[in-house]
Amino acid sequence: MKFTKRKHACVWLEKDGRTLVIDPGGFSEEDAAVGADASLVTHEHPDHYDEGRLRAGLEADPAVELWAPRSVTDKIAAAFPGRVHAVGHGDTFTAAGFDVQVHGELHAVIHPDIPRIPNSGYLLDASVFHPGDALTVPEAPVDTVMLPVMAPWNRISEVIDYLRELKPRRAYDVHDALLTDTARPLYDGLLGSLGGGADHGRLAPGESLEL
């Protein structure tokens, strides 16, 4: 499959002429969901879920469908009957030709005073995992992880330990809009040297590679 990094936590994955977009949120491009055959959203925070961006994708093509936790689907389902599907941990479905497994239930702890919300991680074709805003370890092996490197809810030691526990073959940075250019080499060095042997990489928005 072809992986294209979009801004922040948004990614495009293409296979057999079809495209799946994950987390076209408010930090991603305005047209991040336009042209995709299906959309997945991990949770309701605005840097992952932006109703305007999702509506643009759904309105551009009446065949496009959306899968997300109920806390997201309840916000948009009425406008697109039959095309918006609520999912939770343990669910499986097919989206844009990808076999999808849902792993995880809750967003990582930001602070004890902030209630946790639903968060769904998506394992695609039993290979590529996008955890959203959580350090979920699926029951199944992961070949490639979209790694949330910089967020109010994590620190670098937790990200390193996540890689060590997950043991993917490859890790590519996402959730990186808050990571400055000054900090990137430091993060690259730490994740590369301490991440348990995973091949760690970073793409600029718009860059692609074959997985």
Side-chain angles (χ1 to χ4, degrees):
M1 69 182 76
K2 181 181 179 181
F3 158 48
T4 301
K5 174 75 167 66
R6 307 301 294 265
K7 291 181 179 178
H8 195 50
C10 184
V11 301
W12 275 40
L13 295 160
E14 300 173 57
K15 183 182 72 170
D16 299 331
R18 304 184 73 190
T19 300
L20 179 67
V21 62
I22 305 178
D23 281 358
F27 292 174
S28 59
E29 296 84 350
E30 289 286 343
D31 64 348
V34 176
D37 297 285
S39 297
L40 306 181
V41 172
T42 61
H43 66 284
E44 64 191 272
H45 283 162
D47 56 326
H48 296 256
Y49 163 72
D50 181 83
E51 184 170 330
R53 286 164 171 76
L54 283 170
R55 279 180 173 271
L58 288 160
E59 290 169 353
D61 182 348
V64 172
E65 297 180 72
L66 164 68
W67 287 261
R70 188 168 299 280
S71 54
V72 171
T73 61
D74 283 352
K75 300 176 187 293
I76 196 170
F80 302 96
R83 299 168 60 191
V84 177
H85 314 282
V87 298
H89 178 70
D91 287 344
T92 60
F93 56 93
T94 300
F98 290 87
D99 294 326
V100 185
Q101 302 173 19
V102 183
H103 293 271
E105 299 181 65
L106 292 172
H107 192 288
V109 174
I110 301 172
H111 186 275
D113 289 353
I114 299 176
R116 297 175 74 183
I117 62 171
N119 179 91
S120 293
Y122 300 109
L123 181 62
L124 311 177
D125 288 350
S127 175
V128 177
F129 186 53
H130 192 308
D133 275 10
L135 299 179
T136 302
V137 177
E139 294 84 358
V142 171
D143 180 79
T144 303
V145 64
M146 303 299 158
L147 188 68
V149 292
M150 178 60 168
W153 51 267
N154 73 15
R155 55 185 180 179
I156 191 64
S157 64
E158 294 172 325
V159 179
I160 290 167
D161 287 345
Y162 180 57
L163 280 179
R164 290 180 175 183
E165 185 177 4
L166 192 63
K167 297 181 175 63
R169 185 165 63 93
R170 297 175 292 199
Y172 293 102
D173 289 353
V174 295
H175 212 289
D176 56 356
L178 302 180
L179 188 63
T180 68
D181 289 340
T182 301
R184 288 182 187 276
L186 175 61
Y187 273 64
D188 291 345
L190 290 170
L191 292 168
S193 62
L194 299 175
D199 182 10
H200 171 251
R202 172 168 45 85
L203 275 65
E207 286 189 324
S208 302
L209 55 76
E210 296 292 330
L211 297 178

